Amino acid sequence: MILRPNLFRKAALATAFDHFTGRPKTAYPTRYHYLEICEPELAAAGLRIGRIGQHGLTLTDGAGRRLAVVVRYVTGRDLRLLAAFRARGGRIAYLLDDDLWAMASDIRLDPRYRGRIARFLSGLFPRLLELVDVAVAPNRRLLERLAPVPGAFLHPADLAPTGDLAHFGGEDRETRVLFLGTATHAEDFSAIAPGLAEALGAEPGLRVETFLGAKGEALLPASRRVAHRAPMVLEDFQRWLNRARHHVALAPYAVNPVNDGRSIIKLHQHAVAGAAGIYTPTAVFGPVIEDGRNGVFAAHEPAAFRDAVLTLARDRAKARAIAQGGIALSRRLGDRTAVAGFWAGLVAGGDGGT
């Protein structure tokens, strides 16, 4: 896994500044998950990565063909750079991994965040779309949103799960449960938190860890068996995740337009942690998870998640087999060589298929 600490630190500071000034944030995690993590595979495919503006990357092949990949947002300066890039014969792809329209209308989200998205959609977005040759998204619903621009489906690249499941063996009967959503997913977590509290009461070996920070404390009080970490910048988070070893991981997302417009990145993260994932049947996970083989489906309510967690905690062999299945699924859906090949096809003038 290639990480550039200084670049990621600078990107994190840029994101904080964007939030402070009310601009759409720099989308460096999306860039990383779909492109930068694949730098060795892109190089093997004959592609060089460059930058264009605040939110974009460029890919150039050995024949001099160039593709600009715009990630989520643009600034006015970005649009000028992209127009000049296109005038010189370059192609432009727009990569989007969240349903911005659903987020802008979701009153549960921070109104300032919704306002930033709404301003982008009504202002710069229509001008961007005039320049775009192909839209790329990990979700069919997003491709429909971006029509009539030609659309290409792409899952994020896998995060190189090691396949190490040694934590399922031995005499240690502690079961470590992980929730990786940050404060923006606090409401999703709140719907299942009472079930986790019941599971903790029923199974002394359970340990729960989240990235909800202070918000988590109000939903599931911290204790020697419950820890709420503060969110980390991507560089630090990836290092932590590579070392993490959990038995069960949770993706308790309500079935709604916002969560139906996301990607399978939580599947990839659960695979790196070596955990059996419990998922709600959103439009993202419904088509890819095989219940009981590479994940477990549970309704978005306390009792369902309580029962699913307890079942996996009490059947270590079952949990291990599901974790192994999740790792295999992550590697298959996010194969980095295939992701690099996808981008190489777009650089060469293809449409990426649908």
Side-chain angles (χ1 to χ4, degrees), residues 93-146:
Y94 178 48
L95 171 60
L96 182 64
D97 63 343
D98 270 321
D99 191 332
L100 299 182
W101 298 266
M103 294 169 75
S105 61
D106 191 336
I107 60 173
R108 298 169 306 164
L109 299 178
D110 185 317
R112 294 169 298 177
Y113 182 52
R114 292 170 53 213
R116 286 193 292 268
I117 294 173
R119 286 192 294 275
F120 168 70
L121 291 175
S122 64
L124 296 172
F125 176 75
R127 294 166 56 191
L128 167 64
L129 222 55
E130 293 176 358
L131 299 171
V132 171
D133 295 290
V134 59
V136 179
N139 191 296
R140 301 289 178 188
R141 295 177 183 225
L142 291 181
L143 296 178
E144 292 171 5
R145 292 275 202 189
L146 295 165

Coordinates of all heavy atoms in Angstrom, one line a residue, residues 93-146:
A93 N -13.2 12.4 -17.2 CA -14.2 11.5 -16.5 C -14.5 12.2 -15.1 O -13.7 12.9 -14.5 CB -13.5 10.2 -16.2
Y94 N -15.8 12.0 -14.7 CA -16.3 12.5 -13.4 C -16.5 11.3 -12.5 O -17.4 10.5 -12.8 CB -17.5 13.3 -13.7 CG -18.2 13.9 -12.4 CD1 -17.4 14.5 -11.4 CD2 -19.5 13.7 -12.1 CE1 -17.9 15.0 -10.3 CE2 -20.1 14.2 -10.9 CZ -19.3 14.9 -10.0 OH -19.8 15.3 -8.9
L95 N -15.8 11.3 -11.4 CA -15.9 10.2 -10.4 C -16.7 10.6 -9.2 O -16.3 11.6 -8.6 CB -14.5 9.7 -10.0 CG -14.4 8.7 -8.8 CD1 -15.2 7.4 -9.2 CD2 -13.0 8.4 -8.5
L96 N -17.9 10.0 -9.0 CA -18.7 10.3 -7.9 C -19.1 9.1 -7.1 O -19.5 8.1 -7.7 CB -20.0 11.0 -8.4 CG -21.0 11.5 -7.3 CD1 -20.4 12.6 -6.5 CD2 -22.3 12.0 -8.0
D97 N -18.9 9.1 -5.7 CA -19.2 8.0 -4.9 C -20.2 8.2 -3.8 O -20.3 7.4 -2.9 CB -17.9 7.5 -4.3 CG -17.2 8.4 -3.4 OD1 -17.6 9.6 -3.4 OD2 -16.4 8.1 -2.6
D98 N -21.0 9.3 -3.9 CA -22.1 9.5 -3.0 C -23.2 10.2 -3.7 O -23.0 10.9 -4.7 CB -21.6 10.4 -1.8 CG -21.1 9.7 -0.6 OD1 -21.7 8.6 -0.3 OD2 -20.1 10.2 -0.1
D99 N -24.5 10.0 -3.3 CA -25.6 10.6 -3.9 C -25.8 12.0 -3.4 O -26.4 12.2 -2.3 CB -26.9 9.8 -3.7 CG -28.1 10.2 -4.5 OD1 -28.1 11.4 -4.8 OD2 -28.9 9.4 -4.8
L100 N -25.2 13.0 -4.0 CA -25.2 14.3 -3.5 C -26.6 14.9 -3.5 O -26.9 15.7 -2.6 CB -24.3 15.2 -4.4 CG -22.8 14.8 -4.5 CD1 -22.0 15.8 -5.3 CD2 -22.2 14.7 -3.1
W101 N -27.4 14.5 -4.4 CA -28.8 15.1 -4.5 C -29.6 14.6 -3.2 O -30.3 15.4 -2.6 CB -29.4 14.6 -5.7 CG -28.8 15.1 -7.0 CD1 -29.1 16.3 -7.7 CD2 -27.6 14.6 -7.6 NE1 -28.2 16.4 -8.7 CE2 -27.3 15.4 -8.7 CE3 -26.9 13.4 -7.4 CZ2 -26.3 15.2 -9.6 CZ3 -25.8 13.2 -8.3 CH2 -25.5 14.0 -9.4
A102 N -29.4 13.3 -2.9 CA -30.1 12.8 -1.7 C -29.6 13.4 -0.4 O -30.3 13.8 0.5 CB -29.9 11.3 -1.6
M103 N -28.2 13.7 -0.4 CA -27.6 14.3 0.8 C -28.1 15.7 1.0 O -28.3 16.2 2.1 CB -26.1 14.2 0.7 CG -25.6 12.7 0.7 SD -23.9 12.6 0.3 CE -23.1 13.2 1.7
A104 N -28.2 16.4 -0.2 CA -28.6 17.8 -0.1 C -30.1 18.0 0.5 O -30.4 19.0 1.0 CB -28.5 18.5 -1.4
S105 N -30.9 17.0 0.3 CA -32.3 17.0 0.7 C -32.6 16.3 2.0 O -33.7 16.2 2.5 CB -33.2 16.5 -0.4 OG -32.9 15.1 -0.7
D106 N -31.5 15.7 2.6 CA -31.7 14.9 3.8 C -31.6 15.8 5.1 O -30.5 16.2 5.4 CB -30.7 13.8 3.9 CG -30.9 12.7 5.0 OD1 -31.6 13.1 5.9 OD2 -30.5 11.6 4.9
I107 N -32.7 16.0 5.7 CA -32.8 17.0 6.8 C -32.1 16.5 8.0 O -31.8 17.2 9.0 CB -34.2 17.4 7.1 CG1 -35.0 16.2 7.6 CG2 -34.9 18.1 6.0 CD1 -36.4 16.5 8.1
R108 N -31.7 15.2 8.1 CA -30.9 14.7 9.2 C -29.5 15.1 9.2 O -28.8 15.0 10.2 CB -31.0 13.1 9.2 CG -32.4 12.6 9.3 CD -32.4 11.1 9.1 NE -31.8 10.8 7.8 CZ -31.4 9.6 7.4 NH1 -31.5 8.5 8.3 NH2 -30.8 9.4 6.3
L109 N -29.0 15.5 8.0 CA -27.6 16.0 7.9 C -27.4 17.4 8.4 O -28.4 18.2 8.4 CB -27.1 15.8 6.5 CG -27.1 14.3 6.0 CD1 -26.6 14.3 4.5 CD2 -26.3 13.4 6.8
D110 N -26.2 17.8 8.7 CA -25.9 19.1 9.2 C -26.3 20.1 8.1 O -25.9 20.0 6.9 CB -24.4 19.2 9.4 CG -23.9 20.6 9.9 OD1 -24.5 21.6 9.5 OD2 -23.1 20.6 10.8
P111 N -27.1 21.1 8.4 CA -27.6 22.1 7.4 C -26.5 22.8 6.7 O -26.6 23.2 5.5 CB -28.5 23.0 8.2 CG -28.1 22.8 9.6 CD -27.7 21.4 9.7
R112 N -25.4 23.0 7.3 CA -24.3 23.7 6.7 C -23.7 22.8 5.6 O -23.3 23.3 4.5 CB -23.2 24.1 7.7 CG -23.6 25.1 8.7 CD -22.6 25.2 9.8 NE -22.5 24.0 10.5 CZ -21.6 23.8 11.5 NH1 -20.8 24.7 11.9 NH2 -21.6 22.6 12.1
Y113 N -23.6 21.5 5.9 CA -23.0 20.5 4.9 C -24.0 20.4 3.7 O -23.6 20.4 2.6 CB -22.9 19.2 5.6 CG -22.3 18.1 4.8 CD1 -21.1 18.3 4.1 CD2 -22.9 16.8 4.7 CE1 -20.6 17.2 3.3 CE2 -22.4 15.8 4.0 CZ -21.2 16.0 3.3 OH -20.7 15.0 2.5
R114 N -25.3 20.3 4.0 CA -26.3 20.3 3.0 C -26.2 21.5 2.1 O -26.4 21.4 0.9 CB -27.7 20.1 3.6 CG -27.9 18.8 4.2 CD -29.2 18.8 5.0 NE -30.3 19.2 4.2 CZ -31.4 19.9 4.6 NH1 -31.4 20.2 5.9 NH2 -32.3 20.2 3.8
G115 N -26.0 22.7 2.7 CA -26.0 23.9 2.0 C -24.8 23.9 1.0 O -24.9 24.4 -0.1
R116 N -23.6 23.4 1.5 CA -22.4 23.4 0.6 C -22.7 22.5 -0.6 O -22.4 22.9 -1.8 CB -21.2 22.9 1.4 CG -20.7 23.8 2.4 CD -19.3 23.4 2.9 NE -19.4 22.2 3.7 CZ -19.5 22.2 5.0 NH1 -19.6 23.3 5.6 NH2 -19.5 21.0 5.7
I117 N -23.3 21.4 -0.4 CA -23.6 20.5 -1.5 C -24.6 21.1 -2.5 O -24.5 21.1 -3.7 CB -24.1 19.1 -1.0 CG1 -23.0 18.4 -0.2 CG2 -24.6 18.3 -2.2 CD1 -23.5 17.1 0.5
A118 N -25.7 21.7 -1.9 CA -26.7 22.3 -2.7 C -26.1 23.5 -3.6 O -26.5 23.6 -4.8 CB -27.8 22.9 -1.9
R119 N -25.2 24.3 -3.0 CA -24.6 25.3 -3.8 C -23.8 24.8 -4.9 O -23.8 25.3 -6.0 CB -23.8 26.2 -2.9 CG -24.6 27.1 -2.0 CD -23.7 28.2 -1.3 NE -22.8 27.6 -0.4 CZ -23.0 27.3 0.9 NH1 -24.3 27.5 1.4 NH2 -22.1 26.8 1.7
F120 N -23.1 23.7 -4.7 CA -22.3 23.1 -5.7 C -23.2 22.5 -6.9 O -22.9 22.8 -8.0 CB -21.4 21.9 -5.2 CG -20.8 21.0 -6.2 CD1 -19.8 21.5 -7.0 CD2 -21.3 19.8 -6.4 CE1 -19.2 20.7 -8.0 CE2 -20.7 19.0 -7.4 CZ -19.7 19.4 -8.2
L121 N -24.3 21.9 -6.5 CA -25.1 21.3 -7.5 C -25.8 22.3 -8.4 O -26.1 22.1 -9.5 CB -26.2 20.4 -6.8 CG -25.6 19.1 -6.2 CD1 -26.8 18.3 -5.5 CD2 -25.0 18.2 -7.3
S122 N -26.2 23.4 -7.8 CA -26.9 24.5 -8.5 C -25.9 25.4 -9.2 O -26.3 26.1 -10.2 CB -27.8 25.3 -7.6 OG -27.0 26.0 -6.6
G123 N -24.7 25.4 -8.8 CA -23.7 26.4 -9.4 C -22.7 25.8 -10.4 O -22.9 25.9 -11.6
L124 N -21.7 25.2 -9.8 CA -20.6 24.7 -10.6 C -20.9 23.4 -11.3 O -20.3 23.1 -12.4 CB -19.3 24.5 -9.8 CG -18.8 25.8 -9.2 CD1 -17.7 25.5 -8.2 CD2 -18.3 26.8 -10.3
F125 N -21.7 22.5 -10.7 CA -22.0 21.2 -11.3 C -22.5 21.2 -12.7 O -22.0 20.5 -13.6 CB -22.9 20.4 -10.4 CG -23.3 19.0 -11.0 CD1 -22.4 18.0 -10.9 CD2 -24.5 18.8 -11.5 CE1 -22.7 16.8 -11.4 CE2 -24.8 17.6 -12.0 CZ -23.9 16.5 -12.0
P126 N -23.5 22.0 -13.1 CA -23.9 22.0 -14.5 C -22.8 22.4 -15.5 O -22.8 21.9 -16.6 CB -25.1 23.1 -14.5 CG -25.5 23.1 -13.1 CD -24.3 22.9 -12.3
R127 N -22.0 23.3 -15.1 CA -20.9 23.7 -16.0 C -19.9 22.6 -16.1 O -19.3 22.4 -17.2 CB -20.2 25.0 -15.4 CG -21.1 26.2 -15.4 CD -20.5 27.3 -14.5 NE -19.1 27.7 -14.9 CZ -18.4 28.5 -14.2 NH1 -18.8 28.9 -13.0 NH2 -17.2 28.8 -14.6
L128 N -19.6 21.8 -15.0 CA -18.7 20.7 -15.1 C -19.3 19.6 -16.1 O -18.6 19.1 -16.9 CB -18.6 20.1 -13.7 CG -17.9 18.7 -13.6 CD1 -16.5 18.7 -14.1 CD2 -18.0 18.1 -12.2
L129 N -20.6 19.3 -16.0 CA -21.2 18.3 -16.8 C -21.0 18.5 -18.3 O -21.0 17.6 -19.1 CB -22.6 18.1 -16.4 CG -23.1 16.6 -16.3 CD1 -22.2 15.9 -15.3 CD2 -24.6 16.6 -15.8
E130 N -21.0 19.8 -18.6 CA -20.8 20.2 -20.1 C -19.5 19.7 -20.6 O -19.3 19.5 -21.8 CB -20.9 21.7 -20.2 CG -22.4 22.2 -20.0 CD -22.4 23.7 -20.1 OE1 -21.4 24.3 -20.3 OE2 -23.5 24.3 -19.9
L131 N -18.5 19.5 -19.7 CA -17.1 19.1 -20.1 C -16.9 17.6 -20.0 O -15.9 17.1 -20.6 CB -16.1 19.8 -19.2 CG -16.1 21.4 -19.3 CD1 -15.2 21.9 -18.2 CD2 -15.7 21.9 -20.6
V132 N -17.8 16.9 -19.4 CA -17.5 15.5 -19.0 C -17.8 14.5 -20.2 O -18.8 14.6 -20.8 CB -18.3 15.1 -17.8 CG1 -18.2 13.6 -17.5 CG2 -17.8 15.8 -16.6
D133 N -16.9 13.6 -20.4 CA -17.1 12.6 -21.5 C -17.7 11.3 -20.9 O -18.4 10.6 -21.6 CB -15.7 12.2 -22.1 CG -15.1 13.4 -22.9 OD1 -15.7 13.8 -23.9 OD2 -14.1 14.0 -22.4
V134 N -17.4 11.0 -19.7 CA -17.9 9.8 -19.1 C -18.0 9.9 -17.6 O -17.1 10.6 -16.9 CB -17.0 8.5 -19.4 CG1 -15.6 8.7 -18.9 CG2 -17.6 7.2 -18.9
A135 N -19.1 9.4 -17.0 CA -19.3 9.5 -15.6 C -18.9 8.1 -15.0 O -19.3 7.1 -15.6 CB -20.7 9.8 -15.2
V136 N -18.2 8.1 -13.9 CA -17.8 6.8 -13.2 C -18.4 6.8 -11.8 O -18.2 7.8 -11.0 CB -16.3 6.7 -13.2 CG1 -15.8 5.4 -12.5 CG2 -15.7 6.8 -14.6
A137 N -19.0 5.7 -11.4 CA -19.6 5.6 -10.1 C -19.7 4.2 -9.7 O -19.7 3.2 -10.5 CB -21.0 6.2 -10.1
P138 N -19.7 3.9 -8.3 CA -19.8 2.5 -7.8 C -21.3 2.1 -7.6 O -21.5 1.2 -6.8 CB -19.1 2.7 -6.5 CG -19.4 4.0 -6.0 CD -19.5 4.9 -7.3
N139 N -22.2 2.8 -8.2 CA -23.6 2.6 -7.9 C -24.5 2.9 -9.1 O -24.3 4.0 -9.7 CB -24.0 3.5 -6.7 CG -25.3 3.2 -6.1 OD1 -26.3 3.4 -6.7 ND2 -25.3 2.8 -4.8
R140 N -25.3 2.0 -9.5 CA -26.2 2.2 -10.6 C -27.1 3.5 -10.5 O -27.4 4.2 -11.4 CB -27.1 1.0 -10.9 CG -26.3 -0.3 -11.1 CD -25.6 -0.3 -12.5 NE -24.8 -1.5 -12.6 CZ -23.9 -1.7 -13.6 NH1 -23.8 -0.8 -14.5 NH2 -23.3 -2.8 -13.7
R141 N -27.5 3.7 -9.2 CA -28.4 4.9 -9.0 C -27.7 6.2 -9.3 O -28.3 7.1 -9.8 CB -28.9 4.9 -7.5 CG -29.8 3.7 -7.3 CD -30.2 3.6 -5.8 NE -31.0 2.4 -5.6 CZ -32.1 2.4 -4.9 NH1 -32.6 3.5 -4.4 NH2 -32.8 1.2 -4.8
L142 N -26.4 6.2 -9.0 CA -25.6 7.4 -9.3 C -25.5 7.6 -10.8 O -25.5 8.7 -11.3 CB -24.2 7.4 -8.6 CG -24.2 7.5 -7.1 CD1 -22.8 7.4 -6.6 CD2 -24.9 8.7 -6.6
L143 N -25.3 6.5 -11.5 CA -25.1 6.6 -13.0 C -26.4 7.1 -13.6 O -26.4 7.9 -14.6 CB -24.7 5.3 -13.6 CG -23.4 4.8 -13.2 CD1 -23.1 3.4 -13.8 CD2 -22.3 5.8 -13.6
E144 N -27.6 6.7 -13.0 CA -28.8 7.3 -13.5 C -29.0 8.7 -13.2 O -29.5 9.5 -14.0 CB -30.0 6.5 -12.8 CG -30.1 5.0 -13.2 CD -31.1 4.3 -12.4 OE1 -31.8 4.9 -11.5 OE2 -31.2 3.0 -12.6
R145 N -28.5 9.2 -12.1 CA -28.5 10.6 -11.7 C -27.7 11.4 -12.7 O -28.0 12.6 -13.0 CB -27.9 10.8 -10.3 CG -28.6 10.3 -9.2 CD -29.7 11.2 -8.7 NE -30.1 11.0 -7.3 CZ -31.1 11.6 -6.8 NH1 -31.8 12.5 -7.4 NH2 -31.5 11.4 -5.5
L146 N -26.6 10.8 -13.2 CA -25.6 11.5 -14.1 C -26.0 11.4 -15.6 O -25.3 12.0 -16.4 CB -24.2 11.0 -13.8 CG -23.7 11.3 -12.4 CD1 -22.5 10.5 -12.1 CD2 -23.4 12.8 -12.3

